[in-house]
Amino acid sequence: MSSENLPQSPERAESPEPQRRKPRVAVVFGGRSSEHGISVVTAGAVMRAIDRTKYDVLPIGITTDGRWALTADEPERMAITDRKVPDVGLLTESAEGSVVLSVDPGSREVLYSEPGSVPKALGEVDVVFPVLHGPYGEDGTLQGLLELSGVPYVGAGVLASAVGQDKEYMKRVFLSFGLPVGPYEVVRPREWDNAPAAARKRIVDFAGEHGWPLFIKPARGGSSMGITKVDSVEGLDEAIEEARRHDPKFLVESLLRGREIECGVLEFEDGPRASVPAEIPPVTAHDFYDFEAKYIDSAAGLVPAPLTEEQTAEVQRLAVAAFDAVSCEGLVRADFFLTEDGSFVINEINTLPGFTPISMYPRMWQESGVSYPELVDRLIQAALSRSTGLR
């Protein structure tokens, strides 16, 4: 018998190459904060941009009461329609089913369960793309869960997310690094609950020093929700009540006269780089660049901002310095005022800026040569390359 007719040994037997599965991206959105609807809009835009030839996508919506729900992969249903933002509750595949992510770092398995049914495995998740805005998602809480689970995720870690969410500590960190910050006061829950008259006097004294109008805003919020411009002491209590509806701790800021300038920061292989800056022009139909102006009336920003080369270089330097000061990862949008004396003052950073079709962050990077799909892909790849834990 010739050797070619002999049965091959196990060592010589040829077997087909196992097919490598695509990395699975869990897009987590919605949440318990007042920015729930904008998070859903952002998730829809991100899901449309993810390259499905490279990645599998698992959409996970968090309802307003905190339930993790399996939702349909239908980003076209996640848009603002008739001036109304969408809701996770209208997108879920079950009114009672819930998604559970294992906190065992040795397993990235995601389970789906319904009352009275055996939990069903949905497979492993390789990376989470969180697009939650505000508390219970952008503030380090979700990031802490993902660290415990050992699942890589897009964006800043626990500390940077928490500092980036709390405007008081954000400003304290900026000041410690020598970054220019405008005048502000903080009123904590206990101060307002136990001694409102003393807290109110402190605010009025602040206005006496820096002038009216003042801005009263939640300390830990975003999307300009809960912010009120106050022109006199008569409107103070109502503005405080509105801010505390979103957060029991609130900030008081003076009006900085000047131009509103934004700049994006994106982490590349060689470190963070700044985008071309943008300018938010005066919004004539609104008192300031509030929620309605940003998302409903689609106020148009100028990209790139009409700045001198020196001004552009300076705001880009400050944006990267703010990114580094807070130990951010992945991305940041830094917001500034260019004051009447020609100097920049940093207002705040946003560690998970909006990714809606009209959001400034992707528009700035588009103008800088990074398309929306490339931006999303770069963020996913950066997250996949990072480990969880201390780094």
Side-chain angles (χ1 to χ4, degrees):
M1 180 183 292
S2 67
S3 60
E4 61 183 354
N5 292 324
L6 291 173
Q8 291 183 325
S9 66
E11 290 77 18
R12 294 180 59 189
E14 294 183 4
S15 58
E17 285 287 327
Q19 187 174 4
R20 292 183 59 188
R21 68 174 180 84
K22 293 180 287 188
R24 174 171 287 175
V25 182
V27 179
V28 181
F29 59 95
R32 295 161 57 188
S33 83
S34 54
E35 298 175 77
H36 176 100
I38 289 304
S39 172
V40 179
V41 176
T42 299
V46 168
M47 286 163 57
R48 280 192 295 271
I50 292 177
D51 184 350
R52 302 308 178 95
T53 66
K54 291 179 64 174
Y55 307 103
D56 285 328
V57 175
L58 178 66
I60 300 175
I62 301 178
T63 63
T64 53
D65 60 1
R67 177 171 63 95
W68 287 45
L70 190 63
T71 67
D73 188 358
E74 299 176 359
E76 63 277 3
R77 296 173 57 197
M78 302 162 70
I80 296 174
T81 54
D82 298 327
R83 301 177 70 85
K84 294 180 180 178
V85 292
D87 188 285
V88 166
L90 301 176
L91 302 169
T92 59
E93 296 193 345
S94 165
E96 296 181 308
S98 60
V99 173
V100 178
L101 179 66
S102 171
V103 293
D104 177 3
S107 169
R108 297 178 181 177
E109 193 79 28
V110 176
L111 299 178
Y112 177 73
S113 63
E114 293 194 56
S117 301
V118 177
K120 179 174 66 175
L122 298 179
E124 290 193 341
V125 164
D126 298 289
V127 63
V128 168
F129 200 129
V131 290
L132 294 136
H133 299 309
Y136 312 109
E138 190 181 352
D139 58 351
T141 50
L142 175 64
Q143 289 75 13
L145 172 64
L146 296 173
E147 292 285 353
L148 288 172
S149 302
V151 180
Y153 53 93
V154 169
V158 176
L159 175 65
S161 296
V163 172
Q165 185 66 35
D166 192 312
K167 294 176 176 61
E168 175 193 357
Y169 289 99
M170 182 197 307
K171 291 177 186 291
R172 290 181 183 274
V173 169
F174 289 158
L175 286 168
S176 73
F177 277 82
L179 294 170
V181 172
Y184 72 98
E185 284 283 342
V186 178
V187 180
R188 300 173 183 275
R190 188 166 53 190
E191 293 177 286
W192 186 255
D193 292 338
N194 297 343
R200 191 180 295 105
K201 181 181 183 304
R202 184 152 59 90
I203 297 170
V204 173
D205 290 345
F206 177 82
E209 181 180 357
H210 299 286
W212 299 90
L214 302 178
F215 287 92
I216 310 298
K217 60 175 64 174
R220 295 160 291 194
S223 295
S224 298
M225 299 185 98
I227 301 178
T228 305
K229 181 182 177 184
V230 183
D231 295 309
S232 67
V233 69
E234 283 74 24
L236 199 53
D237 283 5
E238 185 179 351
I240 291 170
E241 183 179 335
E242 172 61 16
R244 282 170 55 85
R245 196 165 65 84
H246 298 268
D247 186 349
K249 181 169 78 167
F250 64 92
L251 256 67
V252 182
E253 295 178 347
S254 63
L255 173 67
L256 291 175
R257 300 189 185 278
R259 299 160 60 187
E260 291 190 52
I261 306 296
E262 298 185 347
C263 190
V265 180
L266 179 63
E267 194 169 14
F268 287 76
E269 291 78 8
D270 59 351
R273 301 181 200 170
S275 70
V276 300
E279 179 170 4
I280 308 301
V283 185
T284 55
H286 301 264
D287 244 1
F288 60 97
Y289 194 45
D290 61 5
F291 177 84
E292 293 262 325
K294 281 183 179 179
Y295 298 110
I296 305 300
D297 292 337
S298 305
L302 304 175
V303 187
L307 300 171
T308 66
E309 288 185 15
E310 292 77 12
Q311 289 171 330
T312 296
E314 176 63 3
V315 76
Q316 290 175 326
R317 182 189 71 81
L318 289 170
V320 172
F323 182 97
D324 286 336
V326 183
S327 298
C328 291
E329 294 169 294
L331 72 163
V332 147
R333 193 195 71 230
D335 301 344
F336 299 86
F337 292 104
L338 176 55
T339 62
E340 293 176 335
D341 67 2
S343 61
F344 284 100
V345 174
I346 187 165
N347 183 35
E348 64 183 48
I349 60 170
N350 194 315
T351 56
L352 279 173
F355 268 80
T356 67
I358 62 168
S359 293
M360 298 306 297
Y361 185 83
R363 286 184 60 196
M364 287 187 286
W365 279 108
Q366 176 77 40
E367 188 67 24
S368 304
V370 181
S371 70
Y372 193 179
E374 183 186 350
L375 178 62
V376 170
D377 185 71
R378 181 171 286 278
L379 289 169
I380 293 171
Q381 287 297 319
L384 285 168
S385 68
R386 282 197 301 266
S387 63
T388 53
L390 298 177
R391 52 189 183 276

